[in-house]
Amino acid sequence: MTKLQYPFTEDKVRALKAGEAVEISGLVYTGRDKLHKYFADGGVLPVDFRDGALYHCGPVMLAQGGTWRVMAAGPTTSVRENPYEPDFIAGTGVRLVIGKGGMDAATLAAMQQHGCVYIQAVGGAAAVTAAAVKRVLGVSLLEEFGAAEAVWHLEVKGLAGVVAMDAHGVSLFDTVREASRRALARA
Amino acid sequence: MKTSATLEELTGLIVDTSSSLASDVEKALKSACRREAAGSAAKTVLKTILANIRLARRQRTPLCQDTGTLTFFVAEECRKTITPKLLKAAVAKATAMGALRRNTLAALSGKSYDDNVCEGAPVVHYVKGDGKTRVTLLMKGGGSENMSRQYSLPDAELNAARDLPGVEKCILDAVYRAQGYGCAPGILGVCIGGDRASGYETAKEQLLRPLDEKPSPLEARLLAKANTLGIGPMGLGGKTTLLGLKIAERPRVPASFFVTVAYMCWAARRRSI
């Protein structure tokens, strides 16, 4: 298991290989459908994603005495951001994309070109993911996007995942799908 | 047997179903975890899943943020006392307690029914009882529901005819197409025959059967075959693609031959009182 600590520099990220288990600590920003569309439409990003992590996640947040408490923070399906992610990676310098289900060939190519990896978080594991969030440091675009779509600034510790698409053009999802297709022909 | 239930009992059933995974499913996940190689992605994922199960049970918080579609199966003899009205009150209360996400939307407008209660939600079926169970609750998330599918035989694309090898091709195709997207390792409920509606209903009912009951020879053979596909936990590769596979057969009309597959995620939340 590899521990990854913010900032996630290009060296650290290029050293990762598909299939490797990781634990992420430090600053992570959430961002999903609305943020991607906003960026594609020329919106100015409220935070700097360089050497950072983008988490495809719509958390359940509870306002509590002037601060926020994370009730659930599991990954959402990443495939919806396929049309936007290559430009987002090129434009922001983000190094980790965390989500569920993987992304397409164009995103994989952008990851290889710019030095970024895709981390598969464990779908459904809401309790452990929420427990990995130590603090909510802030939030951006809350009024504009609503709580599920806002950019939450999360301080995480030991957020578990697996490198599913690396910066060398390898996608575990493609490898597994192809192997299962061959196994199906034999079954 | 008692034929009534209090609001508190039913609310408790919802909270427990959401937070405490059935022991047979947890046992199957533990045994899957033991089979995977040390350091593999599969083992990492299964360890996280098992840690999540323990934490949710200890905290009494939802196992998964998608608290899913709630389907209640109520014994026929409780029809007069355990009414849809009482079950709706229990769902609204459990939602207010934070045991359920705001998870019920008007289909077209997308408007949220914030208490998860409206015409058609929760789903309530009155069924022939076993003389012991009053109510069984099944909670099924949307990611897995999206992976369910129905085939009509013959299927030219799969080269599947109206025979047992044809049925097997449909079932394995469903597993292949689901990859890890339904939050594998999953459980399949299958209905061979029936009409389109009863096919899905019967397939889903099979998900209530315990994983540790003795499988039929067909179930055992297909489960073993499905696990040779190597899709593994969350589709990252591994030995366990399915935890269980349950099959039922229903009569059909000469013109139709449906094979219906209900896909359930690893968070197979079901519980009875």
Side-chain angles (χ1 to χ4, degrees), chain A residues 39 45 47-52 54 85-95:
Chain A
F39 179 73
L45 292 176
V47 295
D48 184 7
F49 280 94
R50 183 152 302 278
D51 292 343
L54 168 68
E85 212 70 293
D87 287 344
F88 194 93
I89 292 166
T92 61
V94 68
R95 300 283 177 207

Side-chain angles (χ1 to χ4, degrees), chain A residues 96-122:
Chain A
L96 307 182
V97 176
I98 308 165
K100 185 174 79 162
M103 303 191 75
D104 65 359
T107 305
L108 185 64
M111 289 181 161
Q112 185 168 14
Q113 189 186 343
H114 301 285
C116 178
V117 297
Y118 180 87
I119 310 280
Q120 167 93 340
V122 180

